[in-house]
Amino acid sequence: MKTQFSISLRKILWIWVALVATYATALLTLPHKEVELSLFVVTSFQALLALISFAIMRHEPSTKNKFIFANFGVFFSIAIIGWVGPFVGKGRVLFTEAAKANHYFEQYVGYGAYGFFLAFAIVYLSVDTLFRDFKTAQKYFIALAIVGTFFATYFNGFLVDPEYAYTTQDTRDWKQMDNALMDFKNAHNDVEPTPAQLAERTNLFVYRDGVEVATLYNDARLARVEELFPYLEGDNYLMLLWKPAHSYMIFMGVLTVGFILLFFGYQYMRDPPQGAYIEKMMFLFLLSTSMEILHHASLVKLLEWNVFAEILVAGQYATSVVCFLIAVFFALRLRFIMSVKGEFYETELEARPAGITRWRDAFDTIVVESFFNRKVVHGRLFALYERPKSDAGN
């Protein structure tokens, strides 16, 4: 007998297969930027997560949880929007006359929107846990104020100027050095200069708000040329171009991890009853976001574009594994809330959370059986004992 969950999951999978097949067909038939298999895999899993998130939102018996999973649905939908990226730019399908269209798309969607909506989904969930009695509008205001402050601070350059990445101190200095390199090669029959020889031909400046405010001389200029010299080879300059975007992702990742840790800290201290599987989801987001921080931090320090490409592919495959695990728990959440006991549990949890015993899933049982004495652990772990009112005078 088919259950409501199995029917719903089958519909989700059919829609997902149709979306992925459409994207793959477009890649095979339309002019586009090369897409690595690793990127195709990770965005496909994220598209699946978007569909499951919206399905959870639809079937959630708890009103407040609908907003939590709506936020996750919006975040994972960034992957579907990102599928447009390879077809944007000169010689492709969209904005064919704009030479930097693909760069702008990746900058604002792949980095800006991705970092913002991931942080927002996690911060909102943490705020919802900490301030359970607040109204939804208040929770959204708090989350938006926190994430918006970080976003405006670390993405401000891109908001003010789409070509911000081309106007940083690093890219300006690289451009000056690249021009001096071409002049030197033309004058010396394509002989490669040393950093000292290049420094003699290069004028480097200090910029503030896009205006030259000082000039580097002698030792300072030589030190700067030696620092940027590796970026003159091949496509290594692209590392400098994307450095501000990677830095932005690091800061947004730190914000996200900070609120995940706050979530778990509050769970440990107060142990409020939480919706089924949400703690496991948060742990996986902690794992994936921590990996992304390390990933972007390493990319900021890299000097070679080829090495960057290899690390990027490896990181995307690792993220794919975590996305698959998150999809499993999202699916388990969907199955639970579509069951009679799940609907009852989530409804009671919203109406009177203090009067309901924590629901223990199979993963909780494994942990309790492996590390705790089941004769001692009956209810919620780490909950502070409160004496009954009838015993207060004894």
Side-chain angles (χ1 to χ4, degrees):
M1 180 178 179
K2 295 181 179 179
T3 64
Q4 184 182 4
F5 166 73
S6 63
I7 295 173
S8 179
L9 183 61
R10 179 172 295 182
K11 290 180 180 178
I12 291 172
L13 291 177
W14 274 115
I15 295 173
W16 177 61
V17 169
L19 286 173
V20 174
T22 301
Y23 179 46
T25 302
L27 290 175
L28 292 173
T29 58
L30 300 176
H32 64 280
K33 177 184 176 182
E34 182 181 358
V35 177
E36 293 287 347
L37 177 61
S38 58
L39 179 60
F40 181 87
V41 172
V42 70
T43 54
S44 296
F45 278 129
Q46 289 172 344
L48 175 61
L49 277 163
L51 296 175
I52 298 177
S53 297
F54 288 126
I56 293 175
M57 180 192 72
R58 177 187 175 189
H59 294 284
E60 268 289 352
S62 171
T63 303
K64 73 181 189 67
N65 286 342
K66 287 182 180 290
F67 294 101
I68 291 175
F69 286 95
N71 296 336
F72 281 120
V74 172
F75 162 63
F76 287 120
S77 296
I78 298 297
I80 300 176
I81 298 173
W83 285 349
V84 178
F87 306 99
V88 173
K90 194 172 183 178
R92 294 163 192 164
V93 180
L94 301 172
F95 303 103
T96 57
E97 300 301 321
K100 297 178 181 178
N102 183 263
H103 176 85
Y104 296 153
F105 186 92
E106 184 68 19
Q107 178 175 276
Y108 288 110
V109 176
Y111 286 88
Y114 183 94
F116 177 86
F117 285 108
L118 171 59
F120 186 85
I122 296 298
V123 170
Y124 180 87
L125 197 159
S126 300
V127 169
D128 178 78
T129 302
L130 269 64
F131 307 106
R132 183 180 296 272
D133 295 330
F134 280 31
K135 295 181 179 179
T136 299
Q138 294 173 314
K139 296 174 186 177
Y140 267 101
F141 177 80
I142 295 172
L144 186 60
I146 295 171
V147 179
T149 299
F150 269 72
F151 180 75
T153 300
Y154 298 108
F155 204 70
N156 178 64
F158 299 104
L159 296 175
V160 174
D161 182 7
E163 296 196 8
Y164 169 71
Y166 294 88
T167 62
T168 63
Q169 184 76 50
D170 286 338
T171 51
R172 286 175 183 266
D173 289 349
W174 175 87
K175 185 61 177 177
Q176 294 286 345
M177 290 172 55
D178 187 59
N179 292 336
L181 176 64
M182 295 297 102
D183 292 340
F184 186 93
K185 285 186 174 183
N186 291 335
H188 296 82
N189 298 321
D190 288 333
V191 174
E192 292 286 341
T194 63
Q197 290 173 324
L198 191 61
E200 293 176 357
R201 287 176 165 262
T202 305
N203 293 319
L204 298 180
F205 308 95
V206 177
Y207 299 92
R208 183 174 298 167
D209 297 328
V211 179
E212 299 175 9
V213 295
T215 302
L216 295 184
Y217 291 103
N218 302 330
D219 293 344
R221 184 173 67 247
L222 177 59
R224 183 61 172 165
V225 169
E226 289 176 340
E227 178 186 357
L228 298 182
F229 195 77
Y231 296 103
L232 293 171
E233 182 178 350
D235 292 329
N236 292 350
Y237 72 94
L238 293 172
M239 299 302 302
L240 295 176
L241 191 64
W242 287 105
K243 184 177 179 180
H246 291 307
S247 298
Y248 156 77
M249 292 296 291
I250 292 172
F251 287 114
M252 297 303 285
V254 169
L255 171 66
T256 304
V257 168
F259 270 85
I260 295 176
L261 295 178
L262 178 62
F263 170 87
F264 282 116
Y266 186 79
Q267 291 290 110
Y268 175 81
M269 295 301 296
R270 298 296 181 183
D271 198 38
Q274 187 61 263
Y277 298 107
I278 288 181
E279 292 171 350
K280 281 79 174 177
M281 296 173 189
M282 287 292 273
F283 175 77
L284 289 173
F285 278 112
L286 174 63
L287 177 61
S288 64
T289 308
S290 299
M291 288 170 50
E292 287 188 358
I293 292 174
L294 293 174
H295 179 70
H296 288 289
S298 65
L299 298 181
V300 167
K301 299 296 183 181
L302 281 178
L303 300 177
E304 298 183 16
W305 179 256
N306 291 336
V307 177
F308 162 82
E310 295 174 359
I311 293 179
L312 185 64
V313 169
Q316 288 169 344
Y317 278 124
T319 302
S320 298
V321 174
V322 179
C323 283
F324 171 76
L325 295 175
I326 294 175
V328 169
F329 281 102
F330 271 56
L332 289 173
R333 169 77 184 178
L334 179 61
R335 183 182 68 174
F336 180 74
I337 64 175
M338 294 182 72
S339 66
V340 175
K341 65 178 180 180
E343 183 177 0
F344 172 79
Y345 175 79
E346 295 292 335
T347 303
E348 287 294 297
L349 192 61
E350 183 176 23
R352 50 187 191 93
I356 186 170
T357 303
R358 178 188 297 276
W359 180 77
R360 183 185 296 173
D361 60 43
F363 300 95
D364 294 326
T365 301
I366 292 173
V367 172
V368 172
E369 294 283 351
S370 302
F371 301 103
F372 297 95
N373 185 345
R374 65 183 302 175
K375 295 181 180 180
V376 177
V377 181
H378 298 288
R380 291 154 52 189
L381 299 179
F382 308 119
L384 297 176
Y385 173 74
E386 296 183 1
R387 297 176 63 185
K389 292 182 179 180
S390 59
D391 297 337
N394 297 337

